[in-house]
Amino acid sequence: MKKLIILVLSFFVFACSDNTKKEFSLTDHIPQDTEIFLVSQDIQGFVQELAANDFIKSNKFPLKERISSQLKFLEHLNLNHETGISFSNLASETFTFTITTKKDSALVQLDSVKNKAVETITEGNVDFQRIELNNSTFFLHESGNTAIISNSRQKILDIGNQTKLLKNESFEKAFNASDPNKSSVFIKHNAIEEISDFFNKFNFPNFENFAEWSVLDLDVSGSGFRANGLSLGSSSTKLLEVFSGTTPKNIESARICPEDFLSMYALSFSSFGKLHSNLQKIKTDTTQANYPKVLDHIREIASIQLKNGDMVVLNAVEIEAAKEQLAGIGDPIETYRGSSIVELNTDLGLRKVFSGLLNMKRNKFYTIIEHFILFSNDADVLKKALTDFQNSDVISERSYFNELIGSLSSESSMIFIAQLPEFIEETSENDKSQKLKLKKNSLAALQIISEGDFAHLHGIFSNSENSDVAANGAEQMASIKLDHPLVTNPVFFKNHRTDQMDIAVQDENNLLYLISNKGNIFWKKQMDSQITSPIYQVDLFKNGNQQLAFSTGYNMEVLDRDGNKVKGFPIKFNSALTQPLSVFDYDKNRNYRFVLTQNQRVYMVGPKGKAIRGFDFEKAGSDVIKAPKHIRLGSKDYILVAEESGKLNILSRQGNIRVPVTENIDFSENDWYGYNGKFVSTAPENELIEISQQGQVSTKNLELAENNRVVANDDHLVYLNENQLSIDGNIINLDYGLYTDPQLFEFRKRTLIALTDTQTHKVYVFDQKGKLLDGFPVYGNSPVDIANADLDSRLELVVKGEENEILLYKL
């Protein structure tokens, strides 16, 4: 595992680059003895992601100073093109690295280096340079459009003479299968002893022979890593073929795996007979061709490590038939919580059957939970498993585990899962200097799905500290800290490139940020002043690409998702805008109307930033006191403009009076909504105001307090009256507090109502019947936004945490 750390830390010291198109072949210059190879089109982005990763930031690795010193000179390189890094001799004190990239006159920057020396050397037909920068020495060879950098003179000569280069069919297949848009790492299985040792701690003894090369395409987030790739075998690596002719299955052992487990390694198969036949073909010892017949009824076997012992789990598809095969081979020694614990009087022979694929001790006891047969060398381990299962203290009941598993394929041939803090502490040597800082509930998983002579790989490392709530309850997914306090509420913004949601927010320095839902900052842009309106999501060009539209003190802005100004914007005003921007899309066809207000004047502009002709309402009789509002009732569109005088203008699309309202209205701070075919709002005290589509005004005395808050849509009316929340007439009594306006969110047939008590820092989310969702309240200090922000089926909620913090929750 230390060698994997080398890989990550190597990039931690880079300074770097923009994406370029692939213009040369990296595979022509890779040393033959490469053990790990990493390739990236965009090292700068990769390094930034690594630098923001909590695990990288918070840990001081034993080899960090040596690696940083050895690679310090890389800060003087401009790696502006696709770059590959080969690592060799990783077991030695000084490993060998070889960097391959496109030749560039600006590759090595010497101007800012005080202590430097460059020597040109010719050996045979190879010309190269020996470069000293401060205390670092490396060699540079340029040939054609390729530049080679290494700390090994011999590597430069070998590459220059085109000798001792990696020519391997499995590697080439892996390279061709990697994603060119991601940073990818290639691992030679039989070269890295410590990786093999790491998997051996899972009781998997044959990692080095599982495949010849594996490739993983990497995604780095603020709290973890994800990887997807392939393993490819050769004639000398037969282990991949063990699952040939069998079908991967859903891994179910998590249902009886205690929540405080260390690791779980599970195998699944559609036919044990076929698996056994494949195992016999790769074993040198074929003395035991038979196997216990209970395995004919098994479709999964798992090895689970606990702090106080291990257990092996057989998942039976026919538990009664499996029980019959176990009958007579042991004696019950006690009944614990309704289940018999049986002491075996003969060895089942599971160790020999699975040798080469799964290490296990001889098991003395077994018990049965539903259709699972649990074996252990310690009866107390089985008692704990029974207790935890009955108390639902199993890993499948933990939301952070289900989130991790939800990121993987539903079916596996092999899967490795570790609860990292405990697993590493229990399986590592007692070297305190090497202890890693990992958050509670940090998990790692590697899933293998066999396809004959190759296998799909899916890996994830999650270092986020999530709460232990039920799988369907609210849990914190991310905490994103900015350098300065927030002045707007964080909102979701559609990422049309990933089909997920990013987060937009502004800080007190008027910097607007766009941040991924994993916490990576895409960009920040200086605005002229604070954003005064909601941040609207628009598609001005009707091509699926999303833009951000909003108003500031004097401007209306539209930015694309890269933070660039869209042509025609901003629209600048000499005097301040007095109401927030409104955006109308009457027919949901993306023919947007942007509505801006200055005192009595109302401006309407189109997608190109030009005034809309045919909108005749330009000036009210007195100052406009709310942002103009579009309401659709049935098939009719209305524009509502409220004036300081008490006049409510209900207009047509053309700006003409569509509904004459003769009465003056005592406006409250609440907005107007369309509900039940009418326009509704509240008076400052006591009354709900309703206006029909014919202009008739009526009121209902709801005994509202002065600070009442209302929100509505076509089907639901919600209001907050002091500590009482009314949802369609259903009253929920809340604790007294300082609440934000209630918010309504619609998701297909699901309606959610959210509000935040900023006094106690609690966010509440109710369903339309007034039931508080599981896991709420959660911590927060602002109105929220709710959306399906990632690729799973659960919703996410974003809210302000501390003054400079964004919190992301999963519902």
Side-chain angles (χ1 to χ4, degrees):
M1 186 167 183
K2 298 174 186 174
K3 309 315 177 194
L4 289 179
I5 293 171
I6 292 176
L7 174 64
V8 174
L9 289 177
S10 302
F11 289 91
F12 192 62
V13 295
F14 283 163
C16 36
S17 75
D18 298 317
N19 274 333
T20 62
K21 295 182 179 178
K22 186 175 179 180
E23 297 178 359
F24 69 103
S25 176
L26 286 177
T27 56
D28 292 339
H29 307 90
I30 302 175
Q32 188 179 53
D33 61 351
T34 294
E35 297 170 351
I36 288 178
F37 180 70
L38 191 140
V39 60
S40 178
Q41 292 278 359
D42 180 13
I43 293 179
Q44 182 180 25
F46 187 57
V47 172
Q48 289 174 348
E49 290 175 340
L50 285 174
N53 181 269
D54 291 339
F55 180 72
I56 300 296
K57 288 190 298 185
S58 61
N59 280 286
K60 293 183 178 180
F61 304 106
L63 302 177
K64 186 173 182 178
E65 290 187 7
R66 180 171 65 88
I67 295 169
S68 299
S69 175
Q70 192 167 337
L71 299 177
K72 180 68 174 176
F73 75 93
L74 293 175
E75 66 188 21
H76 302 298
L77 298 186
N78 284 329
L79 297 170
N80 294 320
H81 306 280
E82 181 186 30
T83 302
I85 316 293
S86 300
F87 294 89
S88 308
N89 305 317
L90 288 173
S92 64
E93 181 65 23
T94 303
F95 61 86
T96 302
F97 62 85
T98 304
I99 303 172
T100 307
T101 190
K102 185 182 175 185
K103 182 179 178 180
D104 191 327
S105 60
L107 176 60
V108 183
Q109 295 292 301
L110 300 176
D111 295 344
S112 61
V113 183
K114 293 182 179 180
N115 301 317
K116 57 191 173 185
V118 180
E119 177 186 2
T120 300
I121 303 171
T122 301
E123 288 193 26
N125 297 321
V126 182
D127 297 326
F128 59 97
Q129 293 178 316
R130 181 179 185 274
I131 301 175
E132 292 186 17
L133 301 180
N134 295 324
N135 295 321
S136 298
T137 301
F138 61 93
F139 302 93
L140 169 65
H141 168 61
E142 296 179 330
S143 177
N145 62 355
T146 304
I148 311 294
I149 295 171
S150 181
N151 61 340
S152 168
R153 186 189 194 108
Q154 188 59 50
K155 285 287 186 288
I156 293 292
L157 293 174
D158 289 343
I159 294 172
N161 290 315
Q162 287 292 289
T163 61
K164 297 183 181 179
L165 299 180
L166 181 62
K167 300 296 181 184
N168 180 275
E169 183 179 357
S170 294
F171 177 84
E172 290 178 4
K173 288 180 179 179
F175 190 87
N176 292 332
S178 62
D179 189 339
N181 297 315
K182 294 184 182 295
S183 299
S184 303
V185 60
F186 300 77
I187 301 170
K188 188 176 183 180
H189 278 249
N190 64 7
I192 315 296
E193 290 185 6
E194 292 209 14
I195 298 179
S196 297
D197 290 343
F198 180 74
F199 280 95
N200 194 51
K201 292 173 182 176
F202 282 91
N203 291 325
F204 177 49
N206 241 331
F207 177 83
E208 66 274 17
N209 295 321
F210 175 73
E212 187 175 16
W213 281 94
S214 289
V215 57
L216 293 168
D217 301 321
L218 305 175
D219 288 298
V220 182
S221 68
S223 60
F225 303 89
R226 294 175 186 265
N228 297 285
L230 295 173
S231 286
L232 294 107
S234 67
S235 59
S236 61
T237 55
K238 300 285 189 179
L239 196 55
L240 268 173
E241 299 176 10
V242 166
F243 294 93
S244 177
T246 72
T247 303
K249 295 293 182 181
N250 183 35
I251 299 294
E252 296 185 309
S253 296
R255 288 190 53 220
I256 47 82
C257 178
E259 187 269 336
D260 59 350
F261 80 119
L262 301 178
S263 73
M264 184 175 77
Y265 162 37
L267 314 171
S268 76
F269 35 84
S270 55
S271 166
F272 177 77
K274 182 61 178 175
L275 181 77
H276 183 257
S277 176
N278 292 338
L279 270 170
Q280 294 305 301
K281 293 177 183 178
I282 68 168
K283 286 184 178 181
T284 57
D285 177 12
T286 58
T287 56
Q288 184 182 346
N290 297 322
Y291 59 87
K293 296 306 177 183
V294 66
L295 297 177
D296 282 331
H297 310 291
I298 302 303
R299 295 297 179 266
E300 175 187 347
I301 182 169
S303 171
I304 298 175
Q305 295 181 346
L306 305 172
K307 289 183 179 180
N308 297 319
D310 300 347
M311 66 180 181
V312 171
V313 178
L314 302 183
N315 181 3
V317 290
E318 299 177 29
I319 187 61
E320 295 303 322
K323 287 179 180 178
E324 290 180 9
Q325 295 296 332
L326 292 173
I329 64 170
D331 300 310
I333 57 170
E334 67 175 298
T335 298
Y336 183 77
R337 298 199 174 190
S339 295
S340 290
I341 295 179
V342 179
E343 184 174 6
L344 294 166
N345 52 36
T346 185
D347 185 4
L348 276 180
L350 295 179
R351 291 180 298 165
K352 289 185 178 180
V353 171
F354 289 96
S355 66
L357 197 58
L358 170 61
N359 284 339
M360 68 178 83
K361 301 174 183 177
R362 178 174 179 175
N363 294 296
K364 294 174 58 179
F365 306 94
Y366 80 85
T367 191
I368 295 175
I369 300 176
E370 292 187 348
H371 54 87
F372 299 100
I373 308 168
L374 283 62
F375 295 88
S376 181
N377 199 43
D378 187 343
D380 288 339
V381 170
L382 301 182
K383 292 178 183 179
K384 173 178 170 52
L386 286 164
T387 300
D388 288 349
F389 179 79
Q390 292 178 349
N391 293 339
S392 296
D393 289 334
V394 290
I395 196 63
S396 64
E397 295 292 331
R398 296 297 176 260
S399 56
Y400 59 89
F401 175 82
N402 285 294
E403 173 64 17
L404 177 119
I405 292 299
S407 302
L408 303 175
S409 176
S410 59
E411 297 176 336
S412 309
S413 300
M414 308 169 71
I415 192 166
F416 305 86
I417 304 169
Q419 192 145 233
L420 285 176
E422 295 83 358
F423 177 71
I424 291 176
E425 182 177 351
E426 291 292 324
T427 59
S428 297
E429 297 178 359
N430 295 323
D431 185 349
K432 300 302 182 182
S433 66
Q434 298 185 30
K435 186 172 182 180
L436 302 180
K437 296 178 181 178
L438 289 158
K439 295 181 180 178
K440 181 184 178 182
N441 300 333
S442 294
L443 294 173
L446 176 65
Q447 179 184 52
I448 300 174
I449 306 170
S450 178
E451 292 281 355
D453 61 350
F454 73 95
H456 298 281
L457 305 179
H458 304 291
I460 182 169
F461 161 48
S462 174
N463 192 36
S464 58
E465 190 164 3
N466 298 311
S467 55
D468 287 345
V469 297
N472 293 324
E475 56 178 320
Q476 183 179 314
M477 302 304 298
S479 168
I480 304 164
K481 295 287 185 68
L482 302 184
D483 293 334
H484 302 285
L486 314 182
V487 293
T488 66
N489 303 322
V491 294
F492 286 121
F493 175 75
K494 181 68 173 290
N495 186 328
H496 56 259
R497 296 169 183 166
T498 65
D499 204 31
Q500 300 186 52
M501 291 285 188
D502 299 324
I503 300 166
V505 73
Q506 188 183 36
D507 71 14
E508 66 178 5
N509 291 335
N510 297 326
L511 284 171
L512 173 64
Y513 295 76
L514 188 66
I515 306 169
S516 79
N517 57 30
K518 303 297 186 297
N520 299 319
I521 296 175
F522 291 119
W523 50 260
K524 49 187 174 182
K525 188 175 183 66
Q526 184 69 53
M527 308 309 301
D528 66 298
S529 60
Q530 184 177 334
I531 294 173
T532 58
S533 73
I535 297 176
Y536 295 96
Q537 181 173 289
V538 296
D539 178 6
L540 296 188
F541 305 106
K542 300 184 179 181
N543 60 2
N545 293 351
Q546 306 295 310
Q547 298 89 40
L548 303 91
F550 52 88
S551 60
T552 60
Y554 288 81
N555 297 343
M556 184 211 153
E557 303 273 359
V558 181
L559 305 178
D560 67 20
R561 73 152 288 103
D562 293 321
N564 302 313
K565 296 181 183 296
V566 173
K567 185 178 180 181
F569 300 92
I571 300 173
K572 297 185 177 182
F573 294 84
N574 292 327
S575 55
L577 297 169
T578 56
Q579 294 299 327
L581 167 71
S582 297
V583 179
F584 302 163
D585 184 7
Y586 298 120
D587 299 313
K588 306 298 181 184
N589 59 3
R590 296 172 288 185
N591 290 327
Y592 299 103
R593 298 294 182 260
F594 300 110
V595 184
L596 299 152
T597 306
Q598 282 185 317
N599 299 316
Q600 296 171 261
R601 298 189 66 85
V602 177
Y603 304 92
M604 183 178 285
V605 299
K608 296 183 179 180
K610 305 296 183 182
I612 296 294
R613 295 181 180 179
F615 182 72
D616 297 329
F617 187 90
E618 294 185 356
K619 190 174 183 180
S622 59
D623 285 349
V624 176
I625 59 172
K626 298 179 184 297
K629 180 76 175 285
H630 168 244
I631 294 176
R632 191 177 184 96
L633 296 179
S635 60
K636 296 180 180 180
D637 292 295
Y638 303 91
I639 300 171
L640 277 66
V641 180
E643 298 186 27
E644 187 177 39
S645 64
K647 182 177 182 180
L648 179 63
N649 301 280
I650 304 181
L651 311 174
S652 67
R653 291 188 185 185
Q654 292 75 34
N656 302 314
I657 297 295
R658 185 163 194 172
V659 176
V661 181
T662 57
E663 296 184 28
N664 279 353
I665 306 296
D666 187 9
F667 295 113
S668 68
E669 295 182 5
N670 290 317
D671 211 336
W672 285 86
Y673 301 93
Y675 168 68
N676 201 23
K678 297 179 181 180
F679 310 100
V680 299
S681 187
T682 64
E685 294 184 21
N686 298 326
E687 296 175 333
L688 177 74
I689 305 174
E690 297 179 326
I691 302 177
S692 72
Q693 295 179 60
Q694 292 73 42
Q696 298 171 329
V697 179
S698 60
T699 60
K700 292 181 180 178
N701 188 350
L702 299 179
E703 299 183 352
L704 300 176
E706 184 176 357
N707 63 345
N708 68 82
R709 294 290 183 264
V710 67
V711 64
N713 60 18
D714 291 342
D715 303 311
H716 303 287
L717 175 65
V718 178
Y719 61 84
L720 179 68
N721 186 33
E722 293 187 334
N723 71 314
Q724 289 188 329
L725 179 67
S726 172
I727 302 175
D728 297 333
N730 183 21
I731 303 297
I732 300 104
N733 290 307
L734 305 172
D735 293 335
Y736 283 97
L738 298 175
Y739 289 95
T740 61
D741 294 357
Q743 299 171 269
L744 260 175
F745 297 91
E746 294 280 359
F747 304 96
R748 296 181 181 177
K749 296 181 180 180
R750 188 181 186 189
T751 300
L752 298 178
I753 297 92
L755 72 166
T756 301
D757 182 354
T758 58
Q759 182 171 288
T760 59
H761 320 294
K762 293 180 179 180
V763 177
Y764 297 84
V765 179
F766 299 89
D767 65 17
Q768 66 189 55
K769 295 181 179 180
K771 181 180 182 298
L772 187 67
L773 299 193
D774 289 341
F776 284 93
V778 297
Y779 183 83
N781 282 297
S782 73
V784 307
D785 197 8
I786 299 176
N788 189 354
D790 54 22
L791 298 179
D792 65 17
S793 60
R794 294 172 64 187
L795 297 173
E796 282 73 35
L797 177 150
V798 65
V799 67
K800 177 182 175 182
E802 300 298 331
E803 62 176 12
N804 66 331
E805 180 185 38
I806 300 166
L807 294 175
L808 186 67
Y809 293 94
K810 188 172 287 291
L811 275 60

